[in-house]
């Protein structure tokens, strides 16, 4: 069955870059029918979709306006994974971060609690 | 952005009784190309990611018990649990995937009375 395995640090300093990775098993990041998303959850903001990457003969990316100037989601076909880069983090970026598949999010990673603090 | 508003914020129902959660979107999520509503329901238990229960407003995800059902169209949707079980205690969310950015409701906390 399809599984998503997340990895990355739980603590990031303010102004630094948050980097999380989601390894896919049982599906392909280059699938022509799947999309690959990052979502975060915090008490103050609830569940918030951040962005996605997907392949339809070429790579596409969509990002939420709230983070578009700071976010990059990158596929890695060799490792069958995709990554979240979020620059210039502040304490407001403290949240649990999830990777998930498709638009009705049918498969989720386990979640990574990321705290932004010095 | 499409705003998703759930009601109530919390709900206490007796075991074996019906639970109903409502979700209203600020814009229609009906997709005319396939005559479906781009609306999903999730269940989240503490320390776990959300679990997809319902997609296209009324299609049950494989493995989801048939006591869970979804209904509605356009801007008004309902998740119904026909006979509440102890394991259904959780927070439930609706989500639209009609237009970016995808957005979620604020959640409804379901407890046992």
């Amino acid at each position: 069955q399809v599984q998503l395995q997340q990895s990355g640090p739980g603590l990031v300093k303010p102004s630094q870059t948050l980097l999380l990775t989601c390894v896919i098993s049982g599906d392909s990041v280059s699938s022509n029918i799947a999309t690959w998303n990052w979502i975060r959850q915090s008490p103050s903001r609830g569940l918030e979709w951040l962005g996605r990457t997907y392949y339809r003969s070429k790579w596409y990316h969509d990002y939420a306006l709230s983070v578009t100037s700071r976010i990059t989601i990158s596929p890695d076909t060799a490792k069958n994974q995709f990554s979240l880069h979020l620059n210039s983090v502040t304490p407001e970026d403290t949240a649990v971060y999830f990777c998930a598949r498709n638009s009705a999010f049918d498969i989720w990673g386990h979640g990574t609690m990321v705290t932004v603090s010095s | 952005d499409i705003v998703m508003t759930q009601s109530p914020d919390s709900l206490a129902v007796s075991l074996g009784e019906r639970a109903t959660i409502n979700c209203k979107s600020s814009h229609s999520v009906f997709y005319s190309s396939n005559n479906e509503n781009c609306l999903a329901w999730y269940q989240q238990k503490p320390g776990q990611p959300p679990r997809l229960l319902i997609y296209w407003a009324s299609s049950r995800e494989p493995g989801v018990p048939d006591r869970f059902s979804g209904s509605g169209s356009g801007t008004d949707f309902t998740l119904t649990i026909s006979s509440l079980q102890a394991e259904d205690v959780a927070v439930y969310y609706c989500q639209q995937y009609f237009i970016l950015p995808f957005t979620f409701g604020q959640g409804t906390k379901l407890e046992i009375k």
Side-chain angles (χ1 to χ4, degrees):
Chain A
Q1 72 278 25
V2 181
Q3 292 186 322
L4 302 178
Q5 182 67 38
Q6 297 179 219
S7 62
L11 181 64
V12 182
K13 289 182 167 47
S15 81
Q16 294 192 342
T17 296
L18 183 164
L19 172 57
L20 297 174
T21 297
C22 184
V23 177
I24 303 163
S25 57
D27 201 344
S28 171
V29 71
S30 304
S31 165
N32 270 295
I33 57 174
T35 62
W36 305 98
N37 302 264
W38 285 99
I39 297 156
R40 67 183 178 184
Q41 183 174 30
S42 65
S44 59
R45 303 169 78 102
L47 283 160
E48 180 184 16
W49 176 83
L50 298 175
R52 67 179 181 180
T53 187
Y54 60 99
Y55 186 77
R56 301 289 186 268
S57 301
K58 67 174 186 175
W59 287 102
Y60 292 86
H61 305 88
D62 297 300
Y63 300 127
L65 279 178
S66 60
V67 293
T68 191
S69 63
R70 302 190 291 130
I71 190 173
T72 304
I73 296 177
S74 309
D76 183 335
T77 57
K79 297 181 178 178
N80 201 30
Q81 65 185 36
F82 60 109
S83 298
L84 168 69
H85 291 72
L86 188 64
N87 302 324
S88 305
V89 296
T90 73
E92 289 262 303
D93 295 310
T94 294
V96 178
Y97 286 75
F98 299 99
C99 55
R101 187 182 73 167
N102 290 337
S103 298
F105 307 118
D106 58 344
I107 305 293
W108 293 68
H110 53 80
T112 301
M113 177 67 218
V114 176
T115 301
V116 178
S117 175
S118 54
Chain B
D1 297 4
I2 294 180
V3 177
M4 308 299 290
T5 305
Q6 292 180 226
S7 61
D9 289 335
S10 63
L11 181 63
V13 174
S14 300
L15 290 172
E17 296 299 305
R18 178 186 300 260
T20 301
I21 298 170
N22 300 301
C23 175
K24 188 172 185 66
S25 59
S26 62
H27 185 280
S28 174
V29 298
F30 180 74
Y31 187 44
S32 57
S33 295
N34 64 356
N35 282 326
E36 297 279 9
N37 290 277
C38 302
L39 191 285
W41 288 98
Y42 300 86
Q43 174 193 67
Q44 188 177 30
K45 297 180 179 180
Q48 297 181 17
R51 173 196 180 193
L52 178 64
L53 300 175
I54 304 286
Y55 59 97
W56 297 132
S58 60
S59 296
R60 199 178 300 114
E61 181 74 350
V64 173
D66 61 7
R67 63 180 181 273
F68 290 91
S69 64
S71 62
S73 184
T75 61
D76 292 279
F77 301 91
T78 300
L79 175 70
T80 301
I81 308 171
S82 60
S83 177
L84 189 71
Q85 306 299 303
E87 61 266 31
D88 300 335
V89 169
V91 180
Y92 292 83
Y93 296 93
C94 61
Q95 176 237 335
Q96 67 80 19
Y97 50 98
F98 177 73
I99 194 169
L100 295 176
F102 301 143
T103 49
F104 293 85
Q106 81 277 16
T108 294
K109 186 174 185 179
L110 178 58
E111 298 173 315
I112 305 294
K113 185 187 292 182

